[in-house]
Structures are given as C-alpha cells and as structure tokens.
Amino acid sequence: MKYDHADRACELFVGGLNCAQSVFAAFTDVTGMDDELAMRLSSSFGAGMGRMREVCGTCSAMFMIVGILYGLGGEYTHEEKTEHYSRIQELAARFKEKHDTIICRELLKGLGATSTPEPERRTEQYYKVRPCVRFVRTAAEILDSYIAENPPMKQDTQL
C-alpha cells in the first residue's frame, strides 16, 4: 500500500513530532530508513534548526530525503555536484512559490515566535494559530511531485 505522504506528515506533526521529523519520517517507505532512526536524525532540524528559526525544518527534511534518493557519495564530478545543488534549489524555489520564503522566522512573522531552546507546548491554541502544519503538507506534496517527475535510480541504501 502506498502512503499518502502529505497526510502522514500532517498526522505526525499533529501527533507531536517537530516539522522536520514529520516530513522526514513520513517518507521512510521511500528512503528505506527505520522510523526511529529517521525521527532521531531529523530531530535537530525542527523549528528552523534547533529552534534558531533559520531554514524551515520541512525544507531541511526535503533536502535530506533528496540526499538519500539522489545524493552524492564520496566520489563525484563537478557536474554531478552542480546537478545535485540544482535539485535542492529547485525544491526551495517550489516551496517559496507557495510561502514566499524558506526561513522559519519569516514564515512565522507576526506570531511572536522566539528562538529560545524551549519549544512551545502543543496545545489546542498552538494548533489554531500556528501555520506549520501547512508547511509540513506543502513540503510533502512538493517532494512527492518531485519524486514522481524524477524517479530515483534504485539504490541499496541499507539504512
């Protein structure tokens, strides 16, 4: 059975995972990564990298998944590196088309989001005002579309 990655990512976010974990863990069926490892690996990228409000965690998750599916190993050409960075920039541009930026603090402008290390409590009010679940859905939809348009070559990821 094929996952609906966007719905799964949103469920994970509403269930308490951070934005990066939600997107990254929703794609374990594609990456072949163990769920627990996926959540641990992506846990540092939530709230714009450790709540520093830098690059949105949903975008970081997209970029990590693309690294698993299309990334470069230890040996690559200049052209291959250029092509890979082009993929990342294309995904970022698609996200920007929908939300104008990939920067967490800009996405949350006007909400009084801080960059202290203590995360906000996930209350009913949090989910009413916080737009992050929209960003989670957008990232998952963009990634699904990108993968459909650019099927990865079969890799033995052994994750």
Side-chain angles (χ1 to χ4, degrees):
M1 182 179 104
K2 188 175 181 207
Y3 277 169
D4 181 324
H5 295 113
D7 285 348
R8 178 73 179 132
C10 291
E11 288 170 12
L12 292 170
F13 183 77
V14 172
L17 295 185
N18 74 36
C19 53
Q21 288 175 306
S22 300
V23 173
F24 197 72
F27 282 84
T28 56
D29 66 313
V30 174
T31 64
M33 185 175 281
D34 168 83
D35 287 342
E36 182 66 21
L37 180 58
M39 288 184 270
R40 289 175 57 199
L41 176 65
S42 56
S43 64
S44 302
F45 295 88
M49 307 220 180
R51 214 158 178 275
M52 292 188 293
R53 306 297 184 200
E54 298 296 337
V55 173
C56 175
T58 68
C59 292
S60 295
M62 281 196 302
F63 304 158
M64 288 189 290
I65 293 165
V66 166
I68 292 170
L69 298 179
Y70 309 92
L72 306 168
E75 294 183 26
Y76 49 84
T77 66
H78 179 79
E79 291 76 19
E80 289 169 328
K81 190 174 187 179
T82 300
E83 180 183 354
H84 187 65
Y85 287 170
S86 177
R87 291 180 194 280
I88 300 307
Q89 291 184 14
E90 179 180 340
L91 291 167
R94 290 184 187 193
F95 190 90
K96 286 179 186 179
E97 280 178 29
K98 304 256 184 201
H99 303 293
D100 298 323
T101 184
I102 66 167
I103 303 301
C104 178
R105 79 175 73 75
E106 294 170 8
L107 290 165
L108 300 180
K109 194 172 185 155
L111 293 177
T114 66
S115 55
T116 63
E118 184 178 351
E120 293 175 57
R121 303 250 182 235
R122 296 287 186 92
T123 64
E124 192 176 322
Q125 183 60 23
Y126 172 91
Y127 290 110
K128 282 183 181 176
V129 299
R130 189 53 70 102
C132 300
V133 75
R134 285 194 348 253
F135 309 140
V136 166
R137 178 168 297 281
T138 296
E141 289 173 348
I142 288 170
L143 197 51
D144 263 337
S145 179
Y146 187 85
I147 292 168
E149 295 162 10
N150 304 278
M153 301 210 14
K154 192 72 175 158
Q155 298 180 27
D156 182 17
T157 55
Q158 300 204 5
L159 300 174

